[in-house]
Amino acid sequence: MPARDPSPNRLPDSLTPAAAAAVVRGETRILGVFGHPVEHSLSPQMHNAALTRLGLSFVYVPFRVRPEALDVALGSLPALGIVGVNLTIPHKERALGMVDEVTDEAREVGAINTVNCVDGRLVADNTDGRGFYAPLVEAGFDARGRTALVLGAGGAARSVVFRLAREGVATILLANRSLERAERLAAAVAEAGYRACRIRTLALDDWEALEQSMRGTDLLVHTTRVGMYPDVDEIPPVPLDALHPGIFVYDLVYNPMETRLLAEARARGCTVMSGIKMLVYQGAAAFEWWTGIWPPTDVMEAAVVDNLNRRQQAAKGPLTGQTANSL
Ligand code: NAP
């Protein structure tokens, strides 16, 4: 007989009552993530692993905040002395109008993922763009003056495209199922004044244009939901034969850790990167902002990989498409 799911109220092994009592004391400061749902977030494991390694007296907590309660929840942060929170689905856009100050990057992107309580004021940022770009730098990929093909034009794509434009990418080819959404994003980048970056839009089903774009690109960034758990056999509709070893292929999906797109690209000699690094680095940027300390990203990555492996092994039933790959 298969093992029954543990009670949802059971503490995970990493937070037994004894361990929790040792971590949470009178002086413990609180960080967290607001989401709805939030149960599948990997951020608590990722941040708590880094906090524990550094011996910091903080704890990172998931808060299940309903959309209609978001303004009250955010407004309560200073009163509760909470240091800061991440925001995930479905709060990232709506929260923009509920904070006191927003960084330029978050305003451009039109969404926030990190809030910091500074002297009782809520200051908000979006660290996704930096989280996306830092692993490229770490991998030795210099995007300046290069050509990037971005698949998708949703929230994640906005962070990616604005960051690429900021970093001096010469040409962005933006392919989306809905051409109109891609055009809106291209117009927003032009309006923001990144005139040195040329953006061309194309529809995902324009096979010929897509093939030509793939042959000419240095970087391919996949930002759609295609291939995300549980639909792991799906692959974005792109001409795979146009993949060549000169392309760096970056898939923002991190569950599964290696998507079908990455496996196909790897088989064709491309350098590949999964969305795990972006998840870790967007979290690291938030962590540094809250604590003033750059966290051990290897510890954070190990926590994410370990938890994804456990989920895969447990295969305790389908996660919903929306939550399977959220902060
Ligand atoms: P979103 O705002 O809902 O955008 C979804 C995108 O996927 C849109 O471009 C949409 O095209 C496209 N899409 C959805 N289904 C499609 C299909 N069947 N065929 C072709 N295109 C399809 O979502 P998001 O927040 O940008 O997230 C997108 C992905 O990035 C998710 O997998 C998410 O987990 C991942 N992500 C990863 C990180 C990380 O840290 N690694 C961070 C953020 C997001 P239309 O516009 O035509 O609908």
Side-chain angles (χ1 to χ4, degrees), residues 50-79:
L51 291 165
T52 305
R53 172 62 65 88
L54 292 171
L56 298 178
S57 195
F58 283 80
V59 66
Y60 185 106
V61 185
F63 292 98
R64 193 163 191 267
V65 175
R66 283 176 288 112
E68 60 273 24
L70 181 62
D71 53 349
V72 175
L74 282 170
S76 306
L77 293 176

Side-chain angles (χ1 to χ4, degrees), residues 132-167:
F132 156 74
Y133 198 72
L136 279 179
V137 174
E138 192 183 66
F141 184 89
D142 186 355
R144 279 170 301 177
R146 312 282 284 273
T147 295
L149 169 60
V150 178
L151 306 176
R158 288 186 73 88
S159 295
V160 166
V161 167
F162 273 104
R163 178 46 59 173
L164 289 174
R166 273 177 182 253
E167 296 292 344

Side-chain angles (χ1 to χ4, degrees), residues 9-69:
N9 295 325
R10 205 199 77 174
L11 288 165
D13 296 342
S14 56
L15 199 62
T16 60
V23 169
V24 182
R25 298 184 296 266
E27 76 273 18
T28 303
R29 311 203 62 201
I30 298 177
L31 299 168
V33 54
F34 287 1
H36 194 273
V38 76
E39 289 77 2
H40 302 296
S41 170
L42 290 164
S43 292
Q45 293 94 324
M46 181 172 84
H47 283 280
N48 284 319
L51 291 165
T52 305
R53 172 62 65 88
L54 292 171
L56 298 178
S57 195
F58 283 80
V59 66
Y60 185 106
V61 185
F63 292 98
R64 193 163 191 267
V65 175
R66 283 176 288 112
E68 60 273 24

Side-chain angles (χ1 to χ4, degrees), residues 95-305:
L96 255 180
M98 300 178 183
V99 294
D100 298 306
E101 199 179 320
V102 176
T103 61
D104 289 346
E105 185 159 1
R107 196 174 297 288
E108 274 176 1
V109 171
I112 61 185
N113 75 342
T114 307
V115 177
N116 200 358
C117 291
V118 182
D119 300 329
R121 299 178 76 248
L122 302 180
V123 187
D125 193 5
N126 191 323
T127 63
D128 277 344
R130 272 162 284 155
F132 156 74
Y133 198 72
L136 279 179
V137 174
E138 192 183 66
F141 184 89
D142 186 355
R144 279 170 301 177
R146 312 282 284 273
T147 295
L149 169 60
V150 178
L151 306 176
R158 288 186 73 88
S159 295
V160 166
V161 167
F162 273 104
R163 178 46 59 173
L164 289 174
R166 273 177 182 253
E167 296 292 344
V169 164
T171 307
I172 298 177
L173 308 162
L174 186 55
N176 197 44
R177 184 174 58 178
S178 141
L179 184 59
E180 196 232 324
R181 197 174 187 186
E183 282 167 353
R184 265 189 279 133
L185 175 50
V189 176
E191 262 168 46
Y194 296 105
R195 308 233 177 265
C197 177
R198 225 161 40 93
I199 303 198
R200 233 189 75 208
T201 56
L202 55 149
L204 253 187
D205 60 4
D206 184 344
W207 201 254
E208 209 173 300
L210 202 55
E211 189 163 21
Q212 203 183 5
S213 301
M214 279 177 72
R215 292 201 193 282
T217 196
D218 303 300
L219 174 67
L220 171 66
V221 188
H222 173 236
T223 77
T224 84
R225 298 171 169 272
V226 179
M228 194 168 104
Y229 183 89
D231 303 315
V232 297
D233 291 330
E234 289 185 4
I235 186 161
V238 292
L240 294 174
D241 288 342
L243 287 170
H244 56 82
I247 308 183
F248 191 115
V249 180
Y250 193 164
D251 196 335
L252 265 48
V253 172
Y254 57 80
N255 187 11
M257 289 182 265
E258 178 152 295
T259 57
R260 263 196 71 199
L261 174 65
L262 287 193
E264 296 283 355
R266 189 192 293 282
R268 286 167 173 79
C270 305
T271 306
V272 300
M273 181 163 328
S274 93
I276 289 178
K277 292 270 185 197
M278 175 173 171
L279 176 70
V280 168
Y281 278 88
Q282 61 74 32
F287 187 110
E288 185 185 35
W289 198 30
W290 294 323
T291 66
I293 299 169
W294 182 253
T297 50
D298 55 338
V299 171
M300 295 170 87
E301 186 170 337
V304 170
V305 170

